[in-house]
Amino acid sequence: QVQLVESGGGLVQAGGSLRLSCAASGRTFNMNIMGWFRQAAGKEREFVAAITRTLSNTHYADSVKGRFTISRDNAKNTAYLQMNSLKPEDTAVYYCAADVAYLTSNRVWNHREYDYWGQGTQVTVSS
């Protein structure tokens, strides 16, 4: 089993920055993909970004390209999401996800492809 714990959420003004962390524990050695999703109130869960274990290939939703950066430290079993130039529409609960699969670019966006999830961390951006 794998446990994921997010941290780093909070309240920030528009234009500000936050850095989310996702610490993984348990059988983490084969977690080939780690991703971030978010869910705003009354909306469906949506893909934000993902990163592979080997080569650290990254994928981003169009809405966050150029503002958010995903990274991972395999030695620490931790993934990060650096969020800059935050907008009120970025307000949501942010979830970390992971899976053993080698997901291609046409699959990384699909939350159903991920077996392991954190509990979520709230990000609120005020205008």
Side-chain angles (χ1 to χ4, degrees):
Q1 284 293 337
V2 174
Q3 296 78 43
L4 304 175
V5 178
E6 304 98 334
S7 61
L11 174 63
V12 64
Q13 287 189 331
S17 299
L18 282 174
R19 187 193 194 204
L20 305 183
S21 298
C22 172
S25 60
R27 295 174 61 85
T28 61
F29 64 92
N30 58 349
M31 289 297 109
N32 290 303
I33 188 83
M34 295 188 76
W36 289 94
F37 289 77
R38 66 186 182 187
Q39 188 165 16
K43 295 187 177 181
E44 295 187 354
R45 190 166 299 191
E46 66 172 358
F47 171 74
V48 176
I51 186 167
T52 62
R53 180 179 181 84
T54 56
L55 302 180
S56 291
N57 290 326
T58 57
H59 307 267
Y60 295 95
D62 288 343
S63 59
V64 306
K65 279 182 181 176
R67 299 188 299 124
F68 291 11
T69 302
I70 188 171
S71 60
R72 66 189 291 174
D73 185 333
N74 290 333
K76 295 182 178 180
N77 292 320
T78 301
Y80 305 95
L81 186 67
Q82 177 66 44
M83 305 186 295
N84 299 328
S85 302
L86 283 161
K87 305 175 181 179
E89 50 264 44
D90 294 318
T91 295
V93 177
Y94 282 70
Y95 296 92
C96 177
D99 199 83
V100 300
Y102 290 95
L103 298 180
T104 52
S105 58
N106 63 331
R107 294 170 63 191
V108 295
W109 59 269
N110 188 350
H111 65 87
R112 295 177 181 86
E113 297 278 3
Y114 297 77
D115 281 341
Y116 303 100
W117 290 87
Q119 81 289 351
T121 185
Q122 177 71 45
V123 171
T124 302
V125 184
S126 62
S127 58

